[in-house]
Coordinates of all heavy atoms in Angstrom, one line a residue:
Q118 N 8.9 -12.8 -13.0 CA 9.8 -11.8 -12.5 C 10.1 -11.8 -10.9 O 9.2 -12.3 -10.2 CB 9.2 -10.4 -12.9 CG 8.9 -10.2 -14.3 CD 8.7 -8.8 -14.7 OE1 9.3 -7.7 -14.2 NE2 7.6 -8.7 -15.4
S119 N 11.2 -11.4 -10.6 CA 11.5 -11.5 -9.2 C 12.6 -10.3 -8.9 O 13.1 -9.7 -9.8 CB 12.1 -12.8 -8.8 OG 13.3 -13.1 -9.5
G120 N 12.9 -10.1 -7.6 CA 13.9 -9.2 -7.3 C 13.3 -7.8 -7.1 O 12.2 -7.6 -6.7
M121 N 14.2 -6.8 -7.6 CA 13.8 -5.5 -7.3 C 13.7 -4.6 -8.6 O 14.0 -3.4 -8.7 CB 14.8 -4.8 -6.4 CG 14.8 -5.4 -5.0 SD 16.0 -4.6 -3.8 CE 15.0 -3.1 -3.4
T122 N 13.3 -5.3 -9.6 CA 12.9 -4.6 -11.0 C 11.7 -5.3 -11.4 O 11.6 -6.5 -11.4 CB 14.1 -4.8 -12.0 OG1 15.3 -4.2 -11.6 CG2 13.7 -4.1 -13.3
L123 N 10.9 -4.4 -12.0 CA 9.5 -4.8 -12.4 C 9.3 -4.4 -13.9 O 9.3 -3.2 -14.1 CB 8.4 -4.5 -11.6 CG 7.0 -5.0 -11.9 CD1 6.9 -6.5 -12.0 CD2 5.9 -4.4 -11.1
N124 N 9.2 -5.2 -14.8 CA 8.9 -4.8 -16.3 C 7.4 -4.6 -16.5 O 6.6 -5.5 -16.2 CB 9.6 -5.8 -17.3 CG 11.0 -6.0 -17.1 OD1 11.7 -5.0 -17.1 ND2 11.5 -7.2 -17.0
L125 N 7.1 -3.5 -17.0 CA 5.7 -3.1 -17.3 C 5.5 -2.8 -18.8 O 6.4 -2.3 -19.5 CB 5.2 -1.9 -16.5 CG 5.3 -2.0 -14.9 CD1 4.8 -0.8 -14.2 CD2 4.6 -3.3 -14.5
R126 N 4.3 -3.0 -19.2 CA 3.9 -2.6 -20.6 C 2.6 -1.8 -20.6 O 2.0 -1.8 -19.5 CB 3.9 -3.7 -21.6 CG 2.8 -4.7 -21.3 CD 2.7 -5.8 -22.4 NE 1.6 -6.8 -22.3 CZ 1.6 -7.8 -21.5 NH1 2.7 -8.1 -20.9 NH2 0.6 -8.5 -21.3
G127 N 2.1 -1.2 -21.5 CA 0.8 -0.5 -21.7 C 0.9 0.8 -21.2 O -0.2 1.5 -20.8
L128 N 2.2 1.4 -20.9 CA 2.2 2.8 -20.3 C 2.2 3.8 -21.3 O 2.3 3.6 -22.5 CB 3.5 2.8 -19.5 CG 3.7 1.7 -18.4 CD1 5.2 1.7 -18.0 CD2 2.8 2.1 -17.2
T129 N 2.1 5.1 -20.9 CA 2.0 6.2 -21.7 C 3.5 6.6 -22.2 O 4.4 6.9 -21.3 CB 1.5 7.4 -21.1 OG1 0.0 7.2 -20.7 CG2 1.4 8.6 -22.0
P130 N 3.8 6.5 -23.4 CA 5.0 6.9 -23.8 C 5.6 8.2 -23.4 O 4.8 9.2 -23.5 CB 5.1 6.8 -25.4 CG 4.0 5.9 -25.7 CD 3.1 6.1 -24.6
G131 N 6.8 8.3 -22.8 CA 7.4 9.6 -22.3 C 6.9 10.0 -20.8 O 7.4 10.9 -20.3
Y132 N 6.1 9.1 -20.3 CA 5.6 9.4 -18.9 C 6.9 9.1 -18.0 O 7.6 8.2 -18.1 CB 4.5 8.5 -18.4 CG 4.1 8.8 -17.0 CD1 3.2 9.7 -16.7 CD2 4.6 7.8 -16.0 CE1 2.8 9.9 -15.4 CE2 4.2 8.0 -14.7 CZ 3.3 9.0 -14.4 OH 2.9 9.2 -13.1
A133 N 7.1 10.0 -17.1 CA 8.2 10.0 -16.1 C 7.7 9.4 -14.8 O 7.0 10.3 -14.0 CB 8.8 11.3 -16.0
F134 N 8.1 8.2 -14.4 CA 7.9 7.8 -13.0 C 8.9 8.5 -12.1 O 10.0 8.6 -12.4 CB 8.1 6.3 -12.9 CG 7.0 5.5 -13.5 CD1 7.0 5.0 -14.8 CD2 5.7 5.2 -12.7 CE1 5.9 4.3 -15.3 CE2 4.7 4.5 -13.2 CZ 4.7 4.0 -14.5
R135 N 8.4 9.1 -10.9 CA 9.3 9.7 -10.0 C 9.8 8.9 -8.9 O 9.0 7.9 -8.5 CB 8.6 11.0 -9.5 CG 8.6 12.2 -10.3 CD 8.1 12.1 -11.7 NE 6.7 11.7 -11.7 CZ 5.6 12.6 -11.6 NH1 5.9 13.9 -11.6 NH2 4.4 12.2 -11.8
R136 N 11.0 9.2 -8.3 CA 11.5 8.5 -7.2 C 10.5 8.6 -6.0 O 10.0 9.6 -5.7 CB 12.9 9.0 -6.8 CG 13.4 8.5 -5.4 CD 14.8 9.1 -5.3 NE 15.3 8.8 -4.0 CZ 15.9 7.6 -3.6 NH1 16.0 6.7 -4.5 NH2 16.4 7.5 -2.4
R137 N 10.3 7.4 -5.3 CA 9.3 7.2 -4.3 C 7.9 7.4 -4.7 O 7.0 7.6 -3.8 CB 9.6 8.1 -3.1 CG 9.2 7.5 -1.8 CD 9.3 8.4 -0.6 NE 8.5 8.1 0.6 CZ 7.3 8.4 0.8 NH1 6.6 9.1 0.0 NH2 6.7 7.9 1.9
Q138 N 7.5 7.2 -6.0 CA 6.2 7.2 -6.4 C 5.6 5.7 -6.2 O 6.2 4.8 -6.5 CB 6.1 7.5 -7.9 CG 4.7 7.4 -8.5 CD 4.6 7.7 -9.9 OE1 5.6 8.4 -10.5 NE2 3.5 7.5 -10.6
F139 N 4.4 5.7 -5.5 CA 3.9 4.3 -5.1 C 3.0 3.9 -6.1 O 2.3 4.7 -6.7 CB 3.3 4.5 -3.7 CG 4.1 4.5 -2.6 CD1 4.8 5.6 -2.1 CD2 4.4 3.3 -1.9 CE1 5.7 5.5 -1.0 CE2 5.4 3.2 -0.9 CZ 5.9 4.3 -0.4
F140 N 2.8 2.6 -6.2 CA 1.7 2.0 -7.0 C 1.4 0.6 -6.5 O 2.2 0.1 -5.7 CB 2.2 1.9 -8.5 CG 3.3 1.0 -8.7 CD1 3.1 -0.4 -9.4 CD2 4.7 1.4 -8.6 CE1 4.2 -1.1 -9.5 CE2 5.7 0.5 -8.9 CZ 5.5 -0.7 -9.3
S141 N 0.3 0.0 -6.8 CA -0.1 -1.3 -6.4 C 0.0 -2.3 -7.6 O -0.5 -2.0 -8.7 CB -1.5 -1.2 -5.8 OG -1.6 -0.3 -4.8
V142 N 0.5 -3.4 -7.3 CA 0.4 -4.6 -8.3 C -0.7 -5.5 -7.7 O -0.8 -5.9 -6.5 CB 1.6 -5.3 -8.3 CG1 1.6 -6.5 -9.3 CG2 2.8 -4.5 -8.7
V143 N -1.8 -5.8 -8.6 CA -2.8 -6.6 -8.2 C -2.5 -8.0 -8.8 O -2.5 -8.2 -10.0 CB -4.2 -6.1 -8.7 CG1 -5.3 -6.9 -8.3 CG2 -4.4 -4.7 -8.4
H144 N -2.4 -8.9 -7.8 CA -2.1 -10.4 -8.2 C -3.0 -11.3 -7.4 O -3.1 -11.2 -6.2 CB -0.6 -10.7 -7.8 CG -0.3 -12.1 -8.1 ND1 -0.1 -12.6 -9.3 CD2 0.0 -13.1 -7.2 CE1 0.3 -14.0 -9.3 NE2 0.3 -14.2 -7.9
A145 N -3.8 -12.1 -8.2 CA -4.6 -13.1 -7.5 C -5.6 -12.5 -6.7 O -5.9 -13.0 -5.6 CB -3.9 -14.2 -6.8
G146 N -6.1 -11.3 -7.1 CA -7.1 -10.5 -6.3 C -6.7 -9.8 -5.0 O -7.4 -9.2 -4.3
R147 N -5.4 -9.6 -4.9 CA -4.7 -8.9 -3.7 C -3.8 -8.0 -4.2 O -3.0 -8.3 -5.2 CB -4.1 -10.0 -2.7 CG -3.5 -9.3 -1.4 CD -3.1 -10.1 -0.4 NE -4.2 -10.8 0.1 CZ -4.2 -11.9 0.9 NH1 -3.1 -12.5 1.0 NH2 -5.3 -12.4 1.5
R148 N -3.8 -6.8 -3.5 CA -2.8 -5.7 -3.8 C -1.6 -5.8 -3.0 O -1.6 -6.1 -1.9 CB -3.5 -4.4 -3.5 CG -4.7 -4.1 -4.5 CD -5.4 -2.8 -4.0 NE -6.5 -2.5 -5.0 CZ -7.7 -3.1 -4.9 NH1 -7.9 -4.1 -4.0 NH2 -8.6 -2.8 -5.8
Y149 N -0.4 -5.4 -3.8 CA 0.9 -5.4 -3.2 C 1.5 -4.0 -3.5 O 1.7 -3.7 -4.6 CB 1.8 -6.5 -3.9 CG 1.3 -7.9 -3.5 CD1 0.2 -8.5 -4.2 CD2 1.8 -8.7 -2.5 CE1 -0.3 -9.8 -4.0 CE2 1.3 -9.8 -2.1 CZ 0.2 -10.5 -2.8 OH -0.3 -11.6 -2.6
L150 N 1.7 -3.3 -2.3 CA 2.2 -1.9 -2.6 C 3.7 -1.8 -2.9 O 4.6 -2.6 -2.2 CB 2.0 -1.1 -1.3 CG 2.0 0.3 -1.3 CD1 1.1 0.9 -2.3 CD2 1.9 0.9 0.0
Q151 N 4.1 -1.2 -3.9 CA 5.5 -1.0 -4.3 C 5.8 0.5 -4.6 O 4.9 1.3 -4.7 CB 5.7 -1.6 -5.7 CG 5.3 -3.2 -5.7 CD 6.4 -4.1 -4.9 OE1 5.9 -5.2 -4.6 NE2 7.6 -3.7 -4.6
Y152 N 7.1 0.9 -4.5 CA 7.4 2.2 -4.9 C 8.5 2.2 -5.8 O 9.3 1.3 -6.0 CB 7.8 3.0 -3.6 CG 9.0 2.6 -2.9 CD1 10.2 3.2 -3.2 CD2 9.0 1.6 -2.0 CE1 11.5 2.8 -2.5 CE2 10.1 1.3 -1.2 CZ 11.3 1.8 -1.6 OH 12.5 1.4 -1.0
V153 N 8.7 3.3 -6.6 CA 9.8 3.4 -7.5 C 11.0 4.0 -7.0 O 11.0 5.0 -6.2 CB 9.3 4.4 -8.8 CG1 10.4 4.4 -9.8 CG2 8.0 3.8 -9.4
R154 N 12.2 3.4 -7.1 CA 13.5 3.7 -6.4 C 14.2 4.8 -7.2 O 15.2 5.4 -6.6 CB 14.3 2.4 -6.2 CG 13.5 1.4 -5.3 CD 14.4 0.3 -5.1 NE 15.7 0.6 -4.4 CZ 16.8 0.1 -4.7 NH1 17.0 -0.6 -5.9 NH2 17.9 0.4 -4.1
A155 N 13.9 5.1 -8.4 CA 14.7 6.1 -9.3 C 13.8 6.6 -10.3 O 13.0 5.8 -10.9 CB 15.9 5.4 -9.7
Q156 N 14.0 7.8 -10.9 CA 13.2 8.2 -11.9 C 13.4 7.5 -13.1 O 14.7 7.3 -13.6 CB 13.4 9.8 -12.1 CG 12.5 10.3 -13.4 CD 12.4 11.8 -13.4 OE1 12.3 12.4 -12.3 NE2 12.7 12.3 -14.6
I157 N 12.3 7.1 -13.9 CA 12.4 6.3 -15.1 C 11.4 6.9 -16.1 O 10.3 7.2 -15.6 CB 12.1 4.8 -14.9 CG1 13.1 4.1 -14.0 CG2 11.9 4.1 -16.1 CD1 14.4 4.0 -14.8
V158 N 11.9 7.0 -17.4 CA 11.0 7.6 -18.4 C 10.6 6.4 -19.3 O 11.4 5.6 -19.7 CB 11.7 8.7 -19.2 CG1 10.8 9.1 -20.4 CG2 12.1 9.8 -18.4
V159 N 9.2 6.4 -19.5 CA 8.7 5.3 -20.3 C 9.2 5.4 -21.7 O 9.1 6.5 -22.3 CB 7.2 5.2 -20.2 CG1 6.5 4.2 -21.1 CG2 6.7 5.0 -18.8
G160 N 9.5 4.2 -22.4 CA 9.9 4.3 -23.7 C 8.8 4.5 -24.7 O 7.7 4.5 -24.5
A161 N 9.2 4.7 -26.0 CA 8.3 4.9 -27.1 C 7.3 3.7 -27.3 O 6.2 4.0 -27.8 CB 9.0 5.3 -28.4
D162 N 7.8 2.5 -26.8 CA 6.9 1.4 -27.0 C 6.0 1.1 -25.8 O 5.4 0.1 -25.7 CB 7.9 0.1 -27.3 CG 8.8 -0.2 -26.0 OD1 8.8 0.7 -25.1 OD2 9.5 -1.1 -26.0
G163 N 6.0 2.1 -24.9 CA 5.1 2.0 -23.7 C 5.6 1.1 -22.8 O 4.8 0.6 -21.8
R164 N 6.9 0.7 -22.8 CA 7.5 -0.4 -21.8 C 8.4 0.5 -20.9 O 9.0 1.5 -21.2 CB 8.2 -1.5 -22.4 CG 7.2 -2.4 -23.1 CD 8.0 -3.6 -23.7 NE 7.2 -4.7 -23.9 CZ 6.4 -5.0 -24.9 NH1 6.2 -4.0 -25.9 NH2 5.7 -6.1 -25.0
A165 N 8.7 -0.1 -19.7 CA 9.5 0.3 -18.7 C 10.0 -0.7 -17.7 O 9.3 -1.5 -17.4 CB 8.9 1.6 -17.8
A166 N 11.3 -0.6 -17.4 CA 11.8 -1.4 -16.4 C 11.9 -0.6 -15.1 O 12.9 0.2 -15.1 CB 13.1 -2.1 -16.9
L167 N 11.0 -0.8 -14.2 CA 11.1 0.1 -13.0 C 11.9 -0.5 -11.9 O 11.7 -1.8 -11.4 CB 9.6 0.2 -12.4 CG 8.6 0.9 -13.4 CD1 7.3 1.1 -12.5 CD2 9.2 2.3 -13.7
P168 N 12.9 0.3 -11.3 CA 13.5 -0.3 -10.2 C 12.6 0.0 -8.9 O 12.1 1.2 -8.6 CB 14.7 0.7 -10.1 CG 14.4 1.9 -10.8 CD 13.3 1.5 -11.9

Side-chain angles (χ1 to χ4, degrees):
Q118 298 189 54
S119 61
M121 298 184 74
T122 300
L123 184 62
N124 296 308
L125 302 182
R126 67 177 184 268
L128 301 164
T129 302
Y132 179 82
F134 284 96
R135 273 65 55 90
R136 177 172 166 80
R137 205 184 168 275
Q138 177 176 348
F139 281 84
F140 66 101
S141 307
V142 178
V143 183
H144 174 72
R147 178 170 292 161
R148 290 171 178 81
Y149 297 83
L150 194 62
Q151 306 286 159
Y152 67 91
V153 181
R154 297 179 64 229
Q156 180 162 311
I157 293 291
V158 176
V159 176
D162 60 357
R164 285 179 158 86
L167 295 184

